[in-house]
Amino acid sequence: MFQKWLKIPKAELLHKRIERIKSMDIPSHIAIIMDGNGRWAKKRSLPRIAGHHEGMKVVRKITMLANDLHVDTLTLYAFSTENWKRPKDEVNYLMKLPEQFLDVYLPELVENNVQVRMIGIKEQIPNHTLRAVEKAIADTKENTGMVLNFALNYGSRLEILNAIKSIIKDAKNGIINENDLTDELFSQYLMTKDFHDPDLLIRTSGEIRLSNFMLWQIAYTELWFTDVLWPDFNEQLFLDAIEQYQKRSRRFGGI
Ligand code: IPE
Ligand code: IPE
Ligand code: MG
């Protein structure tokens, strides 16, 4: 009988945990390498695309929680410049996902004051995909809440090379000179120019690598890895990562 009394509902425990975490330093920019969709599907003898579909629901859950925590920017690595190497059917499906996601969840994002943004090379992205993302960006432009930034056809090396090309061009045209080129100015040539560097990077699926993600921006980012596959990722794990972040001492080379 007492046991029944003492039992605190799960939702209440989660709420308490969120309130405790909120009272401390929340990483302002969180970036996630959402990995492991294919393996999640394979484990269930399903086609890889079933894993991508399942992963979409997790995107929604984590977005809502991050927004609730007052995270400033959530960047999600959705498709890399290397992912074109995958079978055509899988690539086609991945390029349909943003539309599918936004079809269902855009109203909720608008309602929750989330601003949708995108980084990545637009040229190769199919029109239908780009249109859906651009509509979401336009529809949420006036929102003032969390930025939900999709890294779509994003690759850090290409981003850096393109930045260097633009810098050379601007130098030739006398817009900048060699001595102007600082850390801050270089950052302004990157696709992430509107965002500050990530405070916390999460990667799922047990791979301990960056896979060409934000190589410049991540210089002093706190890294957090989990073996859990993206479709199995959840609120509690996201909070684990933030709690771990809150325990770390960021020195940026100082003492
Ligand atoms: C992450 O899952 C999604 C994308 C890279 C688009 P994967 O598709 O890479 O899944 P695994 O790593 O093969 O399990
Ligand atoms: C990184 O995952 C890219 C995304 C999550 C979009 P990959 O599955 O492509 O990375 P590798 O190939 O394991 O390094
Ligand atoms: Mg992978």
Side-chain angles (χ1 to χ4, degrees):
M1 196 175 138
F2 275 121
Q3 279 241 298
K4 206 173 167 190
W5 252 58
L6 286 169
K7 221 170 164 191
I8 305 169
K10 236 175 153 181
E12 199 178 310
L13 280 176
L14 178 65
H15 177 73
K16 282 210 166 108
R17 191 174 181 205
I18 290 173
E19 288 311 306
R20 190 176 63 241
I21 288 173
K22 257 176 151 169
S23 71
M24 291 180 285
D25 173 32
I26 294 286
S28 149
H29 184 177
I30 302 180
I32 309 183
I33 302 176
M34 310 180 287
D35 198 13
N37 296 349
R39 277 163 284 170
W40 182 92
K42 197 173 172 211
K43 262 171 60 182
R44 289 162 179 75
S45 308
L46 295 168
R48 290 177 57 86
I49 59 169
H52 299 313
H53 182 79
E54 193 67 22
M56 211 163 49
K57 297 179 201 161
V58 183
V59 168
R60 185 234 165 204
K61 269 199 282 196
I62 299 304
T63 299
M64 287 308 149
L65 176 55
N67 190 41
D68 184 26
L69 289 166
H70 304 305
V71 168
D72 186 75
T73 307
L74 179 68
T75 298
L76 301 178
Y77 201 8
F79 194 91
S80 79
T81 47
E82 287 73 45
N83 287 148
W84 298 106
K85 292 178 193 163
R86 296 185 177 203
K88 211 164 172 251
D89 284 354
E90 183 172 347
V91 168
N92 286 344
Y93 187 79
L94 286 168
M95 285 300 150
K96 277 194 197 121
L97 271 189
E99 283 160 274
Q100 279 193 24
F101 177 81
L102 292 165
D103 260 359
V104 182
Y105 299 120
L106 184 58
E108 194 179 25
L109 296 175
V110 172
E111 203 178 295
N112 282 279
N113 202 23
V114 172
Q115 313 173 53
V116 177
R117 302 288 290 273
M118 185 206 132
I119 53 169
I121 314 282
K122 287 185 179 173
E123 282 71 35
Q124 284 163 292
I125 301 175
N127 269 334
H128 63 94
T129 315
L130 210 51
R131 244 183 289 131
V133 177
E134 279 173 349
K135 181 187 184 295
I137 294 171
D139 287 2
T140 58
K141 206 175 70 204
E142 305 297 331
N143 286 357
T144 54
M146 186 183 79
V147 171
L148 174 61
N149 180 32
F150 288 103
L152 199 57
N153 194 24
Y154 173 85
S156 191
R157 286 191 169 181
L158 195 55
E159 176 187 41
I160 291 171
L161 286 176
N162 286 340
I164 294 170
K165 286 180 192 171
S166 300
I167 289 167
I168 293 173
K169 211 187 271 166
D170 285 353
K172 274 189 185 154
N173 292 331
I175 296 167
I176 57 165
N177 68 54
E178 191 183 332
N179 296 329
D180 295 333
L181 194 56
T182 57
D183 192 319
E184 286 75 25
L185 185 64
F186 189 79
S187 297
Q188 285 308 303
Y189 282 88
L190 298 174
M191 293 189 280
T192 49
K193 65 176 162 39
D194 298 334
F195 314 115
H196 46 82
D197 293 342
D199 298 290
L200 172 64
L201 171 77
I202 295 172
R203 182 171 187 151
T204 59
S205 91
E207 309 298 355
I208 316 292
R209 56 174 170 262
L210 296 176
S211 303
N212 203 14
F213 187 58
M214 292 210 192
L215 304 178
W216 167 274
Q217 296 87 338
I218 239 129
Y220 272 104
T221 300
E222 295 297 325
L223 311 179
W224 189 86
F225 297 95
T226 174
D227 287 340
V228 172
L229 305 172
W230 178 251
D232 289 328
F233 194 72
N234 60 31
E235 281 103 340
Q236 298 289 359
L237 288 162
F238 187 65
L239 295 173
D240 285 352
I242 297 176
E243 256 175 3
Q244 167 72 240
Y245 169 89
Q246 291 178 328
K247 285 183 194 141
R248 296 200 190 163
S249 150
R250 302 183 78 189
R251 289 184 290 275
F252 301 96
I255 50 167

